[in-house]
Amino acid sequence: MTSNGKVRTADSRIMILGMPGVGKSALVVRFLTNRFIWEYDPTLESTYKHVTTVDDEQVVMEILDTAGQEETIQREGGVRWADGYILVYAINDRSSFDSILSLKHYLDDVKKTNVQCVLVANKVDLLHERRVEASEGETLAQDMACAFYETSASDGGEDIPELFHELHREIRRRKMIESKGRRRSSAQQVRNVFNRVLNKIGSTS
């Protein structure tokens, strides 16, 4: 809330995507409350507004925890709403890993840009069930030009808040670059108009 009593708009809008059962909701709840909850309604989609500190700056994050991935991504409005994406797979579910790249391509296509994202391999507490090696996740993240984290929503750890913070940093960098580009474009338009006026004056004198 701002000093005049108004609710602050979100500094970054983050969408969590991944196949059902990879632990999307568990990651969000662990980040928001530092707790782990075993049972979730797999059809329940929730949006949270969360105030946190990133690099000594207070920021407001709005987080969309998607339910069934297929239903959510078909609604392009939800995809367009987000500034950045956390793409989650489970290390014990090969198909959830295999789906990530096509999901990233879909997001890029809808947003008409190379979207800001982080790649998260969840459930490292289940190493005995591992089906996806860490090196595969690292390679995929390099291909997508994004940060990569292996973590466990069950065990918790500093890497869970860090992955949200890192995505916020990437969103902030993108917004600053785009803002500078818009300012340069506006300044150029003003210069063009000014030059046309001068040329007109010159041609009539």
Side-chain angles (χ1 to χ4, degrees):
M1 191 169 288
T2 60
S3 56
N4 61 8
K6 291 183 179 178
V7 176
R8 272 180 63 180
T9 56
D11 298 299
S12 54
R13 294 177 298 194
I14 295 171
M15 193 175 192
I16 318 293
L17 286 167
M19 287 181 64
V22 297
K24 300 186 296 291
S25 296
L27 282 168
V28 173
V29 171
R30 175 64 81 175
F31 172 57
L32 297 176
T33 69
N34 200 31
R35 292 184 301 151
F36 178 71
I37 299 174
W38 285 96
E39 295 296 328
Y40 296 93
D41 182 343
T43 64
L44 191 62
E45 184 174 290
S46 303
T47 304
Y48 306 92
K49 190 167 275 192
H50 181 64
V51 180
T52 187
T53 301
V54 181
D55 302 332
D56 299 321
E57 177 189 4
Q58 188 183 78
V59 300
V60 178
M61 293 182 183
E62 201 163 353
I63 302 168
L64 175 59
D65 173 20
T66 60
Q69 173 183 299
E70 294 79 7
E71 293 80 1
T72 301
I73 65 174
Q74 284 170 7
R75 297 200 305 274
E76 288 189 7
V79 173
R80 294 183 197 280
W81 167 89
D83 299 313
Y85 308 85
I86 295 175
L87 308 182
V88 187
Y89 68 90
I91 68 161
N92 63 342
D93 182 351
R94 184 83 207 178
S95 63
S96 69
F97 174 77
D98 292 339
S99 72
I100 292 291
L101 194 55
S102 60
L103 174 57
K104 173 65 163 56
H105 289 159
Y106 172 80
L107 298 174
D108 289 347
D109 185 55
V110 170
K111 297 282 280 190
K112 308 302 182 192
T113 186
N114 184 26
V115 300
Q116 307 303 117
C117 65
V118 297
L119 179 63
V120 179
N122 192 29
K123 304 193 180 183
V124 293
D125 54 299
L126 301 177
L127 285 175
H128 59 289
E129 298 179 11
R130 184 188 280 276
R131 297 291 180 270
V132 184
E133 296 301 321
S135 58
E136 294 178 273
E138 290 167 356
T139 299
L140 179 57
Q142 288 172 4
D143 291 343
M144 298 194 303
C146 70
F148 172 65
Y149 298 85
E150 274 209 340
T151 191
S152 166
S154 174
D155 292 346
E158 292 182 2
D159 49 352
I160 292 178
E162 177 57 26
L163 69 90
F164 281 88
H165 292 181
E166 179 59 23
L167 181 55
H168 170 79
R169 293 184 191 105
E170 289 299 319
I171 291 168
R172 182 175 58 194
R173 288 186 198 111
R174 169 69 67 88
K175 286 183 175 180
M176 288 175 65
I177 291 168
E178 290 176 348
S179 177
K180 286 177 182 175
R182 283 193 295 270
R183 284 201 297 271
R184 280 197 299 270
S185 177
S186 298
Q188 185 62 49
Q189 287 173 0
V190 170
R191 282 195 295 272
N192 290 343
V193 170
F194 189 61
N195 287 335
R196 283 200 298 272
V197 170
L198 288 178
N199 290 336
K200 239 180 222 181
I201 293 171
S203 65
T204 55
S205 61

